Amino acid sequence: MTRTTVTGGRLIMAAAASVFALAAYAGPDEDELVVNDEIEMVTKTDAPAHLDGLDTIYSGWRFRSDETQAVQTDDFDNPAMLWVEQAGEVWKTAEGSEGKSCASCHNDVDSMAGVRAVYPKWNEAAGEVRTIEMQINDCRENRMGAEPWKYAGGDMTNMSALLASVSRGMPVNVAIDGPAQSTWEKGKEIYYTRYGQLELSCANCHEDNWGNMIRADHLSQGQINGFPTYRLKNTKLNAVHSRFKGCIRDTRAHTFSPGSPEFVALELYVASRGNGLSVEGPSVRN
């Protein structure tokens, strides 16, 4: 039994190694992204000073096919905007014991421009780093008297996409110093930790092998400035923690849960790797 287990593990590791060994470099696309002929997106820029593994950072948009890229350039063609419109109606709908809607406090959703760009962020009153989903549920429970939404559920992902949409084109600017630093360090540790039977870390794909073609997939740098994202693979909006969960699951490991402290820390770290890129959400990916 021991021999079988060890041999099986070696075969898995050999298979994983062969995938990277056979990868062919394709590089990022050099086209520029402009949405609706008016929102200019920064999809390539110098890496932030705190990032050691990369000199230049690229949005995941640059690693998609021409056809997929084109879908994101026009809101009329972008399927994600259907859910954004739904969230726009929810924004104005009163819920909970207080009889309030999001608009009751924040007025038009355009007032939230720039918010997506700085999350996750340290919340002084709560004494913790909060994602935008955590803040949405805090508002629902403590200001509206409404039930919290499932962390990566449809209602939450739609609202997160709505908030991202009004920040499109603004630079990601996530703070990692001060009281947020310890959470950032935890996220960095998770990013470089190998998980699962395949013993792969986030960095193995998105730092060591970005730009490579592995089977039919063009590996990006794993930037999350485009989340929530509409994936052609499952034809729906996807939250960033759902993507984290899927990646770790694909290493054949037990994964963390959406909204867990581990994924909050990982989101802070990964978001900071994209400081300087434009907020793109809701984007379109494979």
PDB file of all heavy atoms in Angstrom, residues 155-188:
ATOM      1  N   ASP A 155     -26.431  37.100  -5.628  1.00  0.00           N
ATOM      2  CA  ASP A 155     -26.767  38.474  -5.251  1.00  0.00           C
ATOM      3  C   ASP A 155     -25.517  39.270  -4.901  1.00  0.00           C
ATOM      4  O   ASP A 155     -25.361  40.434  -5.311  1.00  0.00           O
ATOM      5  CB  ASP A 155     -27.726  38.480  -4.056  1.00  0.00           C
ATOM      6  CG  ASP A 155     -29.115  37.981  -4.416  1.00  0.00           C
ATOM      7  OD1 ASP A 155     -29.528  38.179  -5.571  1.00  0.00           O
ATOM      8  OD2 ASP A 155     -29.773  37.397  -3.531  1.00  0.00           O
ATOM      9  N   MET A 156     -24.626  38.646  -4.138  1.00  0.00           N
ATOM     10  CA  MET A 156     -23.402  39.330  -3.717  1.00  0.00           C
ATOM     11  C   MET A 156     -22.487  39.607  -4.909  1.00  0.00           C
ATOM     12  O   MET A 156     -21.934  40.721  -5.046  1.00  0.00           O
ATOM     13  CB  MET A 156     -22.654  38.490  -2.681  1.00  0.00           C
ATOM     14  CG  MET A 156     -21.366  39.123  -2.180  1.00  0.00           C
ATOM     15  SD  MET A 156     -21.664  40.608  -1.197  1.00  0.00           S
ATOM     16  CE  MET A 156     -22.023  39.850   0.399  1.00  0.00           C
ATOM     17  N   THR A 157     -22.316  38.626  -5.775  1.00  0.00           N
ATOM     18  CA  THR A 157     -21.430  38.800  -6.923  1.00  0.00           C
ATOM     19  C   THR A 157     -21.973  39.857  -7.871  1.00  0.00           C
ATOM     20  O   THR A 157     -21.209  40.671  -8.426  1.00  0.00           O
ATOM     21  CB  THR A 157     -21.240  37.463  -7.651  1.00  0.00           C
ATOM     22  OG1 THR A 157     -20.776  36.469  -6.719  1.00  0.00           O
ATOM     23  CG2 THR A 157     -20.219  37.577  -8.773  1.00  0.00           C
ATOM     24  N   ASN A 158     -23.292  39.887  -8.040  1.00  0.00           N
ATOM     25  CA  ASN A 158     -23.902  40.915  -8.885  1.00  0.00           C
ATOM     26  C   ASN A 158     -23.645  42.314  -8.331  1.00  0.00           C
ATOM     27  O   ASN A 158     -23.303  43.240  -9.069  1.00  0.00           O
ATOM     28  CB  ASN A 158     -25.410  40.687  -8.998  1.00  0.00           C
ATOM     29  CG  ASN A 158     -25.760  39.400  -9.712  1.00  0.00           C
ATOM     30  OD1 ASN A 158     -24.892  38.732 -10.259  1.00  0.00           O
ATOM     31  ND2 ASN A 158     -27.031  39.053  -9.701  1.00  0.00           N
ATOM     32  N   MET A 159     -23.829  42.477  -7.020  1.00  0.00           N
ATOM     33  CA  MET A 159     -23.625  43.791  -6.414  1.00  0.00           C
ATOM     34  C   MET A 159     -22.156  44.201  -6.484  1.00  0.00           C
ATOM     35  O   MET A 159     -21.830  45.375  -6.745  1.00  0.00           O
ATOM     36  CB  MET A 159     -24.105  43.784  -4.962  1.00  0.00           C
ATOM     37  CG  MET A 159     -24.064  45.144  -4.281  1.00  0.00           C
ATOM     38  SD  MET A 159     -25.055  46.416  -5.113  1.00  0.00           S
ATOM     39  CE  MET A 159     -26.722  45.812  -4.775  1.00  0.00           C
ATOM     40  N   SER A 160     -21.275  43.255  -6.274  1.00  0.00           N
ATOM     41  CA  SER A 160     -19.841  43.552  -6.391  1.00  0.00           C
ATOM     42  C   SER A 160     -19.500  43.982  -7.811  1.00  0.00           C
ATOM     43  O   SER A 160     -18.687  44.895  -8.020  1.00  0.00           O
ATOM     44  CB  SER A 160     -19.026  42.314  -5.999  1.00  0.00           C
ATOM     45  OG  SER A 160     -17.645  42.545  -6.129  1.00  0.00           O
ATOM     46  N   ALA A 161     -20.146  43.352  -8.800  1.00  0.00           N
ATOM     47  CA  ALA A 161     -19.916  43.721 -10.199  1.00  0.00           C
ATOM     48  C   ALA A 161     -20.440  45.119 -10.484  1.00  0.00           C
ATOM     49  O   ALA A 161     -19.821  45.889 -11.234  1.00  0.00           O
ATOM     50  CB  ALA A 161     -20.577  42.707 -11.123  1.00  0.00           C
ATOM     51  N   LEU A 162     -21.579  45.463  -9.907  1.00  0.00           N
ATOM     52  CA  LEU A 162     -22.120  46.814 -10.070  1.00  0.00           C
ATOM     53  C   LEU A 162     -21.144  47.850  -9.520  1.00  0.00           C
ATOM     54  O   LEU A 162     -20.864  48.870 -10.168  1.00  0.00           O
ATOM     55  CB  LEU A 162     -23.467  46.928  -9.359  1.00  0.00           C
ATOM     56  CG  LEU A 162     -24.096  48.334  -9.322  1.00  0.00           C
ATOM     57  CD1 LEU A 162     -24.473  48.797 -10.724  1.00  0.00           C
ATOM     58  CD2 LEU A 162     -25.319  48.345  -8.396  1.00  0.00           C
ATOM     59  N   LEU A 163     -20.620  47.599  -8.326  1.00  0.00           N
ATOM     60  CA  LEU A 163     -19.680  48.536  -7.718  1.00  0.00           C
ATOM     61  C   LEU A 163     -18.378  48.620  -8.513  1.00  0.00           C
ATOM     62  O   LEU A 163     -17.778  49.693  -8.625  1.00  0.00           O
ATOM     63  CB  LEU A 163     -19.400  48.131  -6.275  1.00  0.00           C
ATOM     64  CG  LEU A 163     -20.612  48.172  -5.330  1.00  0.00           C
ATOM     65  CD1 LEU A 163     -20.220  47.719  -3.932  1.00  0.00           C
ATOM     66  CD2 LEU A 163     -21.217  49.566  -5.283  1.00  0.00           C
ATOM     67  N   ALA A 164     -17.946  47.498  -9.071  1.00  0.00           N
ATOM     68  CA  ALA A 164     -16.749  47.520  -9.908  1.00  0.00           C
ATOM     69  C   ALA A 164     -16.993  48.322 -11.178  1.00  0.00           C
ATOM     70  O   ALA A 164     -16.118  49.068 -11.634  1.00  0.00           O
ATOM     71  CB  ALA A 164     -16.329  46.095 -10.256  1.00  0.00           C
ATOM     72  N   SER A 165     -18.187  48.196 -11.745  1.00  0.00           N
ATOM     73  CA  SER A 165     -18.474  48.826 -13.034  1.00  0.00           C
ATOM     74  C   SER A 165     -18.348  50.339 -12.988  1.00  0.00           C
ATOM     75  O   SER A 165     -17.983  50.961 -13.983  1.00  0.00           O
ATOM     76  CB  SER A 165     -19.868  48.417 -13.531  1.00  0.00           C
ATOM     77  OG  SER A 165     -20.898  49.044 -12.771  1.00  0.00           O
ATOM     78  N   VAL A 166     -18.656  50.956 -11.856  1.00  0.00           N
ATOM     79  CA  VAL A 166     -18.576  52.420 -11.774  1.00  0.00           C
ATOM     80  C   VAL A 166     -17.161  52.893 -11.445  1.00  0.00           C
ATOM     81  O   VAL A 166     -16.912  54.100 -11.377  1.00  0.00           O
ATOM     82  CB  VAL A 166     -19.588  52.986 -10.744  1.00  0.00           C
ATOM     83  CG1 VAL A 166     -21.011  52.656 -11.171  1.00  0.00           C
ATOM     84  CG2 VAL A 166     -19.310  52.478  -9.336  1.00  0.00           C
ATOM     85  N   SER A 167     -16.250  51.943 -11.234  1.00  0.00           N
ATOM     86  CA  SER A 167     -14.838  52.288 -10.997  1.00  0.00           C
ATOM     87  C   SER A 167     -13.952  51.922 -12.175  1.00  0.00           C
ATOM     88  O   SER A 167     -12.724  52.062 -12.094  1.00  0.00           O
ATOM     89  CB  SER A 167     -14.314  51.573  -9.743  1.00  0.00           C
ATOM     90  OG  SER A 167     -14.905  52.082  -8.569  1.00  0.00           O
ATOM     91  N   ARG A 168     -14.552  51.454 -13.264  1.00  0.00           N
ATOM     92  CA  ARG A 168     -13.735  51.018 -14.396  1.00  0.00           C
ATOM     93  C   ARG A 168     -12.850  52.143 -14.930  1.00  0.00           C
ATOM     94  O   ARG A 168     -13.275  53.281 -15.054  1.00  0.00           O
ATOM     95  CB  ARG A 168     -14.626  50.472 -15.519  1.00  0.00           C
ATOM     96  CG  ARG A 168     -15.194  49.109 -15.216  1.00  0.00           C
ATOM     97  CD  ARG A 168     -16.027  48.574 -16.364  1.00  0.00           C
ATOM     98  NE  ARG A 168     -17.225  49.393 -16.594  1.00  0.00           N
ATOM     99  CZ  ARG A 168     -18.092  49.171 -17.577  1.00  0.00           C
ATOM    100  NH1 ARG A 168     -17.886  48.162 -18.415  1.00  0.00           N
ATOM    101  NH2 ARG A 168     -19.159  49.941 -17.715  1.00  0.00           N
ATOM    102  N   GLY A 169     -11.610  51.777 -15.191  1.00  0.00           N
ATOM    103  CA  GLY A 169     -10.627  52.743 -15.668  1.00  0.00           C
ATOM    104  C   GLY A 169      -9.811  53.380 -14.570  1.00  0.00           C
ATOM    105  O   GLY A 169      -8.748  53.956 -14.840  1.00  0.00           O
ATOM    106  N   MET A 170     -10.271  53.274 -13.323  1.00  0.00           N
ATOM    107  CA  MET A 170      -9.518  53.830 -12.194  1.00  0.00           C
ATOM    108  C   MET A 170      -8.426  52.844 -11.779  1.00  0.00           C
ATOM    109  O   MET A 170      -8.607  51.621 -11.857  1.00  0.00           O
ATOM    110  CB  MET A 170     -10.450  54.109 -11.018  1.00  0.00           C
ATOM    111  CG  MET A 170     -11.494  55.156 -11.317  1.00  0.00           C
ATOM    112  SD  MET A 170     -12.547  55.498  -9.880  1.00  0.00           S
ATOM    113  CE  MET A 170     -13.558  56.833 -10.532  1.00  0.00           C
ATOM    114  N   PRO A 171      -7.275  53.339 -11.321  1.00  0.00           N
ATOM    115  CA  PRO A 171      -6.179  52.436 -10.971  1.00  0.00           C
ATOM    116  C   PRO A 171      -6.417  51.704  -9.657  1.00  0.00           C
ATOM    117  O   PRO A 171      -6.884  52.304  -8.680  1.00  0.00           O
ATOM    118  CB  PRO A 171      -4.972  53.366 -10.859  1.00  0.00           C
ATOM    119  CG  PRO A 171      -5.562  54.696 -10.506  1.00  0.00           C
ATOM    120  CD  PRO A 171      -6.889  54.764 -11.203  1.00  0.00           C
ATOM    121  N   VAL A 172      -6.105  50.426  -9.642  1.00  0.00           N
ATOM    122  CA  VAL A 172      -6.116  49.667  -8.394  1.00  0.00           C
ATOM    123  C   VAL A 172      -5.075  50.285  -7.465  1.00  0.00           C
ATOM    124  O   VAL A 172      -3.939  50.536  -7.868  1.00  0.00           O
ATOM    125  CB  VAL A 172      -5.782  48.182  -8.652  1.00  0.00           C
ATOM    126  CG1 VAL A 172      -5.690  47.418  -7.332  1.00  0.00           C
ATOM    127  CG2 VAL A 172      -6.818  47.547  -9.567  1.00  0.00           C
ATOM    128  N   ASN A 173      -5.480  50.533  -6.234  1.00  0.00           N
ATOM    129  CA  ASN A 173      -4.573  51.196  -5.284  1.00  0.00           C
ATOM    130  C   ASN A 173      -4.834  50.645  -3.882  1.00  0.00           C
ATOM    131  O   ASN A 173      -5.332  51.341  -2.997  1.00  0.00           O
ATOM    132  CB  ASN A 173      -4.776  52.705  -5.319  1.00  0.00           C
ATOM    133  CG  ASN A 173      -3.761  53.447  -4.462  1.00  0.00           C
ATOM    134  OD1 ASN A 173      -2.662  52.951  -4.211  1.00  0.00           O
ATOM    135  ND2 ASN A 173      -4.126  54.629  -3.997  1.00  0.00           N
ATOM    136  N   VAL A 174      -4.480  49.402  -3.684  1.00  0.00           N
ATOM    137  CA  VAL A 174      -4.728  48.711  -2.423  1.00  0.00           C
ATOM    138  C   VAL A 174      -3.587  48.980  -1.444  1.00  0.00           C
ATOM    139  O   VAL A 174      -2.410  48.775  -1.771  1.00  0.00           O
ATOM    140  CB  VAL A 174      -4.876  47.193  -2.662  1.00  0.00           C
ATOM    141  CG1 VAL A 174      -4.979  46.441  -1.348  1.00  0.00           C
ATOM    142  CG2 VAL A 174      -6.105  46.915  -3.524  1.00  0.00           C
ATOM    143  N   ALA A 175      -3.943  49.446  -0.248  1.00  0.00           N
ATOM    144  CA  ALA A 175      -2.928  49.746   0.770  1.00  0.00           C
ATOM    145  C   ALA A 175      -2.509  48.467   1.494  1.00  0.00           C
ATOM    146  O   ALA A 175      -3.350  47.648   1.859  1.00  0.00           O
ATOM    147  CB  ALA A 175      -3.483  50.753   1.763  1.00  0.00           C
ATOM    148  N   ILE A 176      -1.206  48.318   1.693  1.00  0.00           N
ATOM    149  CA  ILE A 176      -0.703  47.095   2.338  1.00  0.00           C
ATOM    150  C   ILE A 176       0.145  47.414   3.559  1.00  0.00           C
ATOM    151  O   ILE A 176       0.706  46.512   4.179  1.00  0.00           O
ATOM    152  CB  ILE A 176       0.121  46.255   1.347  1.00  0.00           C
ATOM    153  CG1 ILE A 176       1.356  47.046   0.872  1.00  0.00           C
ATOM    154  CG2 ILE A 176      -0.735  45.855   0.149  1.00  0.00           C
ATOM    155  CD1 ILE A 176       2.318  46.244   0.029  1.00  0.00           C
ATOM    156  N   ASP A 177       0.237  48.677   3.941  1.00  0.00           N
ATOM    157  CA  ASP A 177       1.069  49.055   5.077  1.00  0.00           C
ATOM    158  C   ASP A 177       0.221  49.198   6.331  1.00  0.00           C
ATOM    159  O   ASP A 177      -0.982  48.912   6.344  1.00  0.00           O
ATOM    160  CB  ASP A 177       1.819  50.356   4.779  1.00  0.00           C
ATOM    161  CG  ASP A 177       0.876  51.498   4.401  1.00  0.00           C
ATOM    162  OD1 ASP A 177      -0.352  51.259   4.273  1.00  0.00           O
ATOM    163  OD2 ASP A 177       1.362  52.634   4.213  1.00  0.00           O
ATOM    164  N   GLY A 178       0.843  49.652   7.404  1.00  0.00           N
ATOM    165  CA  GLY A 178       0.114  49.873   8.649  1.00  0.00           C
ATOM    166  C   GLY A 178      -0.513  48.591   9.179  1.00  0.00           C
ATOM    167  O   GLY A 178       0.077  47.508   9.085  1.00  0.00           O
ATOM    168  N   PRO A 179      -1.716  48.697   9.718  1.00  0.00           N
ATOM    169  CA  PRO A 179      -2.341  47.528  10.330  1.00  0.00           C
ATOM    170  C   PRO A 179      -2.719  46.437   9.327  1.00  0.00           C
ATOM    171  O   PRO A 179      -2.997  45.307   9.733  1.00  0.00           O
ATOM    172  CB  PRO A 179      -3.597  48.115  10.999  1.00  0.00           C
ATOM    173  CG  PRO A 179      -3.865  49.385  10.268  1.00  0.00           C
ATOM    174  CD  PRO A 179      -2.531  49.918   9.881  1.00  0.00           C
ATOM    175  N   ALA A 180      -2.726  46.751   8.028  1.00  0.00           N
ATOM    176  CA  ALA A 180      -3.055  45.738   7.014  1.00  0.00           C
ATOM    177  C   ALA A 180      -1.865  44.849   6.680  1.00  0.00           C
ATOM    178  O   ALA A 180      -2.022  43.803   6.037  1.00  0.00           O
ATOM    179  CB  ALA A 180      -3.556  46.411   5.743  1.00  0.00           C
ATOM    180  N   GLN A 181      -0.686  45.226   7.126  1.00  0.00           N
ATOM    181  CA  GLN A 181       0.520  44.533   6.680  1.00  0.00           C
ATOM    182  C   GLN A 181       0.556  43.066   7.090  1.00  0.00           C
ATOM    183  O   GLN A 181       0.980  42.209   6.316  1.00  0.00           O
ATOM    184  CB  GLN A 181       1.774  45.250   7.205  1.00  0.00           C
ATOM    185  CG  GLN A 181       3.061  44.624   6.666  1.00  0.00           C
ATOM    186  CD  GLN A 181       4.295  45.413   7.029  1.00  0.00           C
ATOM    187  OE1 GLN A 181       4.206  46.487   7.635  1.00  0.00           O
ATOM    188  NE2 GLN A 181       5.458  44.899   6.673  1.00  0.00           N
ATOM    189  N   SER A 182       0.122  42.767   8.309  1.00  0.00           N
ATOM    190  CA  SER A 182       0.188  41.376   8.759  1.00  0.00           C
ATOM    191  C   SER A 182      -0.740  40.490   7.929  1.00  0.00           C
ATOM    192  O   SER A 182      -0.402  39.333   7.630  1.00  0.00           O
ATOM    193  CB  SER A 182      -0.167  41.277  10.246  1.00  0.00           C
ATOM    194  OG  SER A 182      -1.489  41.734  10.497  1.00  0.00           O
ATOM    195  N   THR A 183      -1.898  41.001   7.541  1.00  0.00           N
ATOM    196  CA  THR A 183      -2.804  40.243   6.678  1.00  0.00           C
ATOM    197  C   THR A 183      -2.177  40.054   5.307  1.00  0.00           C
ATOM    198  O   THR A 183      -2.270  38.979   4.704  1.00  0.00           O
ATOM    199  CB  THR A 183      -4.157  40.969   6.555  1.00  0.00           C
ATOM    200  OG1 THR A 183      -4.720  41.134   7.857  1.00  0.00           O
ATOM    201  CG2 THR A 183      -5.136  40.179   5.688  1.00  0.00           C
ATOM    202  N   TRP A 184      -1.533  41.102   4.796  1.00  0.00           N
ATOM    203  CA  TRP A 184      -0.843  41.028   3.507  1.00  0.00           C
ATOM    204  C   TRP A 184       0.267  39.974   3.543  1.00  0.00           C
ATOM    205  O   TRP A 184       0.416  39.188   2.603  1.00  0.00           O
ATOM    206  CB  TRP A 184      -0.266  42.391   3.164  1.00  0.00           C
ATOM    207  CG  TRP A 184       0.410  42.460   1.828  1.00  0.00           C
ATOM    208  CD1 TRP A 184      -0.183  42.656   0.604  1.00  0.00           C
ATOM    209  CD2 TRP A 184       1.817  42.346   1.566  1.00  0.00           C
ATOM    210  NE1 TRP A 184       0.760  42.674  -0.387  1.00  0.00           N
ATOM    211  CE2 TRP A 184       2.004  42.484   0.166  1.00  0.00           C
ATOM    212  CE3 TRP A 184       2.927  42.146   2.374  1.00  0.00           C
ATOM    213  CZ2 TRP A 184       3.259  42.422  -0.433  1.00  0.00           C
ATOM    214  CZ3 TRP A 184       4.180  42.076   1.777  1.00  0.00           C
ATOM    215  CH2 TRP A 184       4.335  42.221   0.395  1.00  0.00           C
ATOM    216  N   GLU A 185       1.026  39.950   4.626  1.00  0.00           N
ATOM    217  CA  GLU A 185       2.098  38.952   4.761  1.00  0.00           C
ATOM    218  C   GLU A 185       1.531  37.536   4.774  1.00  0.00           C
ATOM    219  O   GLU A 185       2.110  36.617   4.188  1.00  0.00           O
ATOM    220  CB  GLU A 185       2.892  39.213   6.037  1.00  0.00           C
ATOM    221  CG  GLU A 185       3.687  40.510   6.039  1.00  0.00           C
ATOM    222  CD  GLU A 185       4.942  40.443   5.179  1.00  0.00           C
ATOM    223  OE1 GLU A 185       5.222  39.365   4.615  1.00  0.00           O
ATOM    224  OE2 GLU A 185       5.636  41.472   5.077  1.00  0.00           O
ATOM    225  N   LYS A 186       0.396  37.363   5.446  1.00  0.00           N
ATOM    226  CA  LYS A 186      -0.247  36.049   5.462  1.00  0.00           C
ATOM    227  C   LYS A 186      -0.679  35.652   4.058  1.00  0.00           C
ATOM    228  O   LYS A 186      -0.502  34.500   3.635  1.00  0.00           O
ATOM    229  CB  LYS A 186      -1.459  36.072   6.399  1.00  0.00           C
ATOM    230  CG  LYS A 186      -2.214  34.749   6.469  1.00  0.00           C
ATOM    231  CD  LYS A 186      -3.390  34.846   7.442  1.00  0.00           C
ATOM    232  CE  LYS A 186      -4.156  33.529   7.505  1.00  0.00           C
ATOM    233  NZ  LYS A 186      -5.318  33.630   8.441  1.00  0.00           N
ATOM    234  N   GLY A 187      -1.240  36.602   3.320  1.00  0.00           N
ATOM    235  CA  GLY A 187      -1.650  36.322   1.947  1.00  0.00           C
ATOM    236  C   GLY A 187      -0.479  35.973   1.060  1.00  0.00           C
ATOM    237  O   GLY A 187      -0.565  35.083   0.207  1.00  0.00           O
ATOM    238  N   LYS A 188       0.637  36.664   1.251  1.00  0.00           N
ATOM    239  CA  LYS A 188       1.844  36.368   0.479  1.00  0.00           C
ATOM    240  C   LYS A 188       2.332  34.954   0.761  1.00  0.00           C
ATOM    241  O   LYS A 188       2.733  34.223  -0.154  1.00  0.00           O
ATOM    242  CB  LYS A 188       2.929  37.384   0.817  1.00  0.00           C
ATOM    243  CG  LYS A 188       4.220  37.195   0.020  1.00  0.00           C
ATOM    244  CD  LYS A 188       5.242  38.274   0.362  1.00  0.00           C
ATOM    245  CE  LYS A 188       6.524  38.096  -0.448  1.00  0.00           C
ATOM    246  NZ  LYS A 188       7.520  39.158  -0.120  1.00  0.00           N
TER     247      LYS A 188
END
